[in-house]
Amino acid sequence: MPRSKKRKHHHEQHIPPHTIKSENSRSAVKVAVIFFGLLGLGIAYFAAGASITWLIAGAAAGAVAGYFFGKQIDRSFNRNK
């Protein structure tokens, strides 16, 4: 069947993909918190033995240190862009 030349044709609309901020998808904070938490747990285990109080304290101290370390890494990488 013939098409009308005056009628507007349907064109496929291009919708650009949503861009995700690099902070949310590639954050060093998550990795650093986990790594330093495990490191603190290991240090507490070798220093104080299997005392659950010292293991929790070591893991918490390591996680806090990892948070600040990861934040610093994110800041330094974002300056270069």
Side-chain angles (χ1 to χ4, degrees):
M1 200 168 173
R3 287 184 151 177
S4 172
K5 293 187 178 187
K6 292 183 179 182
R7 192 169 133 203
K8 291 185 179 182
H9 301 287
H10 296 285
H11 294 284
E12 191 173 321
Q13 294 180 356
H14 175 69
I15 300 172
H18 296 292
T19 56
I20 299 172
K21 292 182 180 180
S22 63
E23 284 181 39
N24 295 337
S25 65
R26 294 187 178 197
S27 177
V29 175
K30 295 174 190 176
V31 176
V33 165
I34 293 170
F35 177 73
F36 277 79
L38 290 174
L39 187 67
L41 185 70
I43 291 172
Y45 179 75
F46 288 117
S51 174
I52 196 77
T53 306
W54 288 109
L55 291 176
I56 292 172
V64 169
Y67 174 78
F68 288 117
F69 183 75
K71 279 290 194 185
Q72 188 64 34
I73 289 176
D74 281 344
R75 279 192 220 132
S76 67
F77 280 129
N78 285 338
R79 273 190 223 146
N80 295 336
K81 288 183 179 180

